[in-house]
Amino acid sequence: MESQKSAAAGFWVAASFGAGQDVGRSCILVSIGGKNIMLDCGMHMGYNDDRRFPDFSYITQNGRLTEFLDCVIISHFHLDHCGALPYMSEMVGYDGPIYMTHPTKAICPILLEDFRKITVDKKGETNFFTSQMIKDCMKKVVPLNLHQTVQVDEELEIKAYYAGHVLGAAMVQIKVGSESVVYTGDYNMTPDRHLGAAWIDKCRPDLLISESTYATTIRDSKRCRERDFLKKVHETVERGGKVLIPVFALGRAQELCILLETFWERMNLKAPIYFSTGLTEKANHYYKLFITWTNQKIRKTFVQRNMFEFKHIKAFDRSYADNPGPMVVFATPGMLHAGQSLLIFKKWAGNEKNMVIMPGYCVQGTVGHKILNGQKKLEMEGRATLDVKLQVEYMSFSAHADAKGIMQLIRMAEPRNMLLVHGEAKKMEFLKDKIEQEFSISCYMPANGETTSIVTNPSVPVDISLNLLKREMALGGPLPDAKRPRTMHGTLIMKDNSLRLVSPEQALKELGLSEHQLRFTCRVQLHDPHSDNDTLGRIYTHLKSVLKTYSIQHVPDGTVIVESIVIKVTSSAEEPNLKVILLSWSYQDEELGSFLSTLLKKGLPS
Amino acid sequence: MGISSLKARYKDLHVFQLEHPTKVIEWTGDKNICVAGYTGSRSEILELLLPLKLYAGENQGLCAERDFKVQHGGFSEEPIESLIHISGTRCVVTSGSSSSTLQIWDIGGDDSDVIKRTGVINLKSTSVKGCKIAPGLTDEPAVLHGSCISEVQLTEIATGRVLYTVAKESSDSVSGLQFVNACVFLICASDGTLFMGDTRDPSTCHYPLEDSKSGLHWAFGLRSDSSQSEPSGCTVARLSSSGHMLLSDLRNLQSPFCQTQLNVQHDASKNDFLNVSWAPVLDRCLSVSGFDGTVHIYNTINWSTEGQSPQPVFSHRGHEMSDEAKYSGSPPVVTTHSWHQSRPKTILSVATDGSLHVWDWVDKITDR
C-alpha cells in the first residue's frame, strides 16, 4: 500500500482583511480536519459604519456562531486584530472558547473600553458594544502560555509562539491530527529595545499564514529612524520649544520612552520629560507582570533597576502644560481625537517653536489625521479656529516584518505552503516567485473574502505485523526508506481506531474466513506439425527468450511452469497438428497469464 | 556615531540593508533605481522606489515614507556585473560574469511587478569581469558593448543588428565606455588609454597615457553639459587604482589639463569597484569610491593650483562604521555610488556587505 499519496485531504482558508498598508482589519477563517477556527477578529479603523466589522455571514446567514466555530484565537491587543471581538461574541453571539496570551487578555479590555468610550461617548454611536459586553466577552477567554500545547478538544490542539511586535503578541500553531497551520498575526524578526524577535521551531506546518504589509519594503535601519526622532526632539528642546508625542496606552510608547531616557542620560539633558498619569502606572504594572515577555536585556537589567521606572521621565500634571521652557510630553490618546493629548495640543499649537510627533496612523476625522494632511487651521468646538503653527512630524515606529523577515520566518518554520495576507496581489508576484523558487512551496495570495484550498499529503500511521515485515524483507530489494515509497501487498484492517497491515492469510484467520483460490484457464489453438512434447519444448524455448527475468521450468511430466502459470499441450487423434495449449493461472498472476495467452496466440517462431 | 557629530555632517542619512549586495545602481526614472546581485549563481534584479520622504520638500515632516519599496523584481541565471537603462523605455540590459550573451529585460509597468527577460544579444566571447556596456543615445535603442577594444560594437536591441564596430586591432581590455552624444563615444581601456570614436566614421583615435605604469587599473567618468553634448563641453576624469587622477578636455585628450594624486590606499585586489563620477548639479565636483568603505567628494576647481594631494570636501564613512562591519573580518568596500539626478548633494552608495546608503551632506563652507 502506498502510504504517502492519499485522496484529497486538506483544508481551506478564507481571509477577510482590509486593503492598503496601514489600515486594515484581520479576521481569518480556517477549516481544518473538520474544525473551524477564527483567527483574530479585528475592527477596521477607517470606517464609521458596519463596514468596520468583519462580515460574519460568511460563517452563517443567521444566528449565533457557537456551533459553527470550534474556537477563536486572538494574536495581540491591537484593535485591528481584536476590536470586533465583543461585537462578535456578544452581539452576533459566540459562547465557545477565545484563546489569547496572558498579556493580551490583560490589556485587550482596556483598549476596547477606551475605544468604546470614544466611539460612543464622543461620537454618539449606537450600534456598538457596551462595557458590560466587553466584560462578558473576556469571561470566555482562556489564556495561553508560550510553547504550551493546549487541547481545545480531542482532536484540535493549539500552541503559542513569541511574535515580538507588541507585548504579548503571539504566533499560533493549530493542529488537527497530522495537519497543521501556523498563523503569524503581526510579528517582527528584529529585536527592539523592549521586545525580542519572533521565534518558531521547525514545526513544518502544512500552511504558514503571514502578514505581508511590508513585504515589498526595504526598511530604513532602526538606528536611522531613532536618530531622526532624537534629532527632532533635541532641536526643538534646544530652541526652547515643547514636544508633544500622542501615544496609545501601551505599545510603542514604552519603546520611545526607553530611547529618550537613554539619550537624555547620555547627553546630560535637563529638560523635563513627562508621561500621562495613570498611563505610567498601568504600563509599568503590565510590564512588570509580564516581564518574561520582554527581551533579554530588560530582564537582565530589571534586577538592578526597573527599566520602566525612568529617572528622567516623570508623571504629568495638566498644570505643567502651561510651564514655560522646553519639555517633552507623552499623552494619550494617540490620534489627538480627545482627552489630554488634544488639550495639550490646543495649548501648544500656536507656537512655531513647538513640535508634535505623530507616531502612528490616524483615523480620518481626527485632529491627528487633519494635521498630517497639512491642515493649518482647525475648527474646534464653538466655532473657534485653531492656528496650527507648531511643527508637525510623522514618524512611524511600528515593528513589522519586511521581505527579508518573511523569508527568515519561512526558513525557521519550513512550511509546506505559504499564504500571504494584507498585500496587493499584483504587487507581490515577485515575492511569490521568490518564495516558490527558493523553498519549492506554493504561495497563495487570496483577495479579501476569497477562499483558498490547501491540499495536504497527510501521512497515515499504520502498524505492520512482524510476519508481513519479515516476508517483505525476505523478498530482498532496498530496505524501507521514508523517502522512497515501495509497493507491497498486504491487508489493511481498520478496527477500534487502529490501522494494521497484516498478511492476507492472517487477515482471513482473524476474520474467520476461509481463503478462496481463483484460477483461470485458457485454451489457445496452434498449428504445429511436431509432437506434443516437442511443441511444449518449443514453447519453453520461446518463453525463455521472451521472459528473461522470470522463472520458467520445463517439468518432465509434460508441463511448462512460469511462476504459478501451468502450460500443457494436447492434441486430438484426428488432427494431430492442431495443438491445444492449455494455460492455467491463479488470480495473482492475472497480468502475466493474459500476457502469455496473447503471446502464444501469435504463434511460435519457426 | 553620536547625534551631534552626525548633525553637523549630514542633512540626511538613510541606511538600508539589501538582502544581497549589488555592484550596480542605475536610474530608471526620477525616483527609481535598479540594483542587481552579483554574489550568487541566481541573482535578483530589483527596481526600487526611493523613499518618498526625500521628495516631500517642505512637507518632509509629514511624510512617513522613509523606506525603499521594491516595485519590480526578476531573476537572472548569472551574477550581474553591469546594468544599463535605455532612456525613454522600460528596458534594461545586463551583462554577467558567466554567459556569452547580454540579457535584455522589460522592467514592467503597473500591471505586474515581475521583470521579464525579453531577449539576448550574442557576444563573441565570455569575460569573467563581464562585458562593459553603455546605452546608445539615438532614438532607436541600442547598446555599445565590448570586453576588449577590438570587440566593441554597437548593437540595435530590437533586431540584434550590428550598427557599428570599432576597427581597432587591440586586445586591451575595456574598463568603461560611454556615448558623449548620439554619435561620439569614448572608451577607456584598463591601462588608462582613451579611445574616441564616431559612429559615422570607421576610424577611432586613441590617446595613450604619457607615463603609463603597469599593474594599474584605470576607470573613467565623463562630465557633460547635457546628454547630447558637443565635445567642447565635456571633461573626462581618469582614476587609477593607486589614486592617480587625470582630468582632460575632450577637445584635447592628448594632454590632460590637470594631474593629481589622491590620498588613498592602493589595493590591487579591489580594482573591480573603482568608480569616479561627476556631480550632475554641483559645478566641477566629482566623487570617488572603490578603494575601501568610503566615498570621497572633491571640488576640482582649485586642483591645478594645489601642490599637494587635494583634500576631499566630504568623506562618507558610513559603510565602514556599521555594526556589521565592525564584527566582520574584512571591512566592506563600496562597490559603486551614484549621484541623485536633481538633488545637488544627495548620493546613493552601496557596499560589499549589502548596505545601501542614501545621504546628503552638509558643506561646512556654504551651508552654515
Side-chain angles (χ1 to χ4, degrees), chain B residues 160-192:
Chain B
R161 202 159 55 99
V162 176
L163 302 172
Y164 178 85
T165 40
V166 165
K168 200 92 189 162
E169 282 300 315
S170 164
S171 59
D172 290 343
S173 66
V174 172
S175 159
L177 27 72
Q178 190 169 341
F179 270 98
V180 176
N181 56 35
C183 306
V184 177
F185 62 87
L186 266 187
I187 309 174
C188 178
S190 294
D191 67 358

Side-chain angles (χ1 to χ4, degrees), chain A residues 28 39-40 75-76 81 161-165 169-174 181-189 198 200 207-212 401 406 409-410 413 418-421:
Chain A
I28 298 173
L39 302 169
D40 279 340
S75 62
H76 63 287
H81 289 255
Y161 290 92
Y162 191 81
H165 187 61
M171 305 190 289
V172 187
Q173 181 196 39
I174 298 131
V181 62
V182 170
Y183 170 58
T184 63
D186 285 347
Y187 65 105
N188 186 19
M189 296 302 288
I200 193 166
L207 179 67
L208 176 62
I209 303 173
S210 168
E211 61 133 352
S212 54
I406 294 175
L409 186 72
I410 300 177
M418 191 68 203
L419 192 137
L420 298 172
V421 292

